[in-house]
Every structure is written in C-alpha cells, then in structure tokens.
Amino acid sequence: MSIKAVAVFCGSRSGTNSLFALHARQLGTMLAHRGITLIYGGGSKGIMAEIANAVLENNGRVVGIIPKLLNELESRHNAISEILEVPDMHTRKRMLYEKCDAAVILPGGYGTLDEFFEILTWNQLNIHDKKIIIMNSAGFYDHLIKHLQTMEEQQFLYHKILDKLSIVNEPGEIIF
C-alpha cells in the first residue's frame, strides 16, 4: 500500500526538550519531500505548528482538522493548505483516521495519548490495519513503552506490541 497521507498526533505545546521540535520539523520536511500529505489537529502552537510549518516551508500539503472548542486553545493555523472545522473531538479523531494511510505519534499530552490509544485499539480490533509509529524522541515514551510491554507480558493484549506498531527514536528511522 502506498502512503499518500500521514496523521501526526502531537502536542499543542512544545515541551521542555528542543529535540521534540527538531524531530517534528525533520518529519515535516521528510513528508513534504516524499509528497505525503500531513493530516493533523490544525493548531498553530507547539509541536503541531513545528511540523505543519516544516511541511509548508517545503511546499508540502497540510490538512488540519480542528474542533470548534479548540479554535482558541490550539490557535487554529490559518496558513495551511486546508482546514476543516468539526463539531467535536470524536468527529476530529474519526476524520484523522479516515484521511490517513499511517500515523506517527510525537511527544504530546492527554490528547496525543487519546488519539494514539484509539487508533491502536482500532488496529487491534481489525477496524483498520494502518501503520502506527511511535517517535520516542529523547526517550519521551520510554515509560509508556514499558507499560505496553507489561500489558503484553501479563497477557492483556491479543497481539505482540511490535505486530501493531513500530517504535523509532528519530525521523530517519521511519519506513513508510
């Protein structure tokens, strides 16, 4: 399957490590150079802004999907290729999944984890089989990965973790 669009789930804040923003920019540049559309939450702050701006600076296409309630909080990015305003978070997540061929999870907060776990759950339930990649920038997701391994070891998962997702430490390791 050829990858034409990638959903990126990430923070609307930048975090404390400058590597998070650097990896977002590198991934955005890579997507643009490969002609892959970025599908993301539509914000103009934090890591969300870094990846969207990197795609745009490299003549790529960016589609943002933002719920009305987050227009202020995430500051809607009005310079992107296409912005879709939706009524709620459930609609946003459904559209993000429908429009992408794969997903990359960058550092972020509750919303990032919510989007990650929903797409991972849908993958486990065979609702889709889209490639899911965790970008473990500076070990940001080490604790989460350890918890996933514990879930596997304690036999709460139906598949091995690495059957359903890939874990990389930097953008150059991503294979689409």
Side-chain angles (χ1 to χ4, degrees):
M1 171 173 147
S2 107
I3 303 294
K4 294 181 175 43
V6 169
V8 174
F9 307 134
C10 59
S12 60
R13 299 188 69 187
S14 297
T16 59
N17 190 325
S18 62
L19 189 61
F20 303 156
L22 176 64
H23 280 176
R25 294 192 67 74
Q26 289 173 340
L27 178 59
T29 300
M30 184 176 85
L31 293 175
H33 289 171
R34 293 184 182 177
I36 298 172
T37 298
L38 167 66
I39 311 291
Y40 85 120
S44 66
K45 291 182 179 178
I47 296 172
M48 293 174 90
E50 295 290 345
I51 191 163
N53 291 337
V55 172
L56 294 170
E57 289 163 11
N58 288 278
N59 301 311
R61 178 167 165 68
V62 178
V63 176
I65 303 170
I66 192 164
K68 287 181 184 180
L69 88 111
L70 291 182
N71 265 330
E72 299 276 328
L73 188 61
E74 290 182 354
S75 293
R76 175 185 179 140
H77 197 314
N78 291 312
I80 60 178
S81 312
E82 183 179 357
I83 187 84
L84 304 170
E85 186 177 286
V86 296
D88 53 48
M89 291 296 288
H90 296 292
T91 305
R92 175 199 222 177
K93 289 190 296 183
R94 190 188 82 246
M95 288 182 74
L96 284 165
Y97 308 151
E98 288 173 353
K99 291 185 173 296
C100 77
D101 301 310
V104 178
I105 292 66
L106 299 179
Y110 295 137
T112 302
L113 290 178
D114 175 51
E115 292 163 337
F116 165 63
F117 277 112
E118 187 158 331
I119 198 168
L120 185 60
T121 300
W122 287 12
N123 192 312
Q124 178 180 280
L125 296 172
N126 295 315
I127 294 170
H128 69 76
D129 63 351
K130 297 176 184 194
K131 186 175 188 89
I132 302 169
I133 301 161
I134 293 177
M135 174 107 50
N136 192 26
S137 303
F140 182 81
Y141 284 117
D142 283 351
H143 292 94
L144 177 64
I145 293 164
K146 178 64 180 148
H147 188 73
L148 293 172
Q149 290 167 339
T150 298
M151 291 164 57
E152 182 179 304
E153 290 164 5
Q154 296 296 318
Q155 299 181 8
F156 281 101
L157 304 179
Y158 289 93
H159 306 279
K160 294 197 175 295
I161 297 164
L162 297 179
D163 290 345
K164 293 296 174 184
L165 60 96
S166 300
I167 301 166
V168 300
N169 294 310
E170 58 185 55
E173 296 174 20
I174 294 175
I175 299 171
F176 290 120

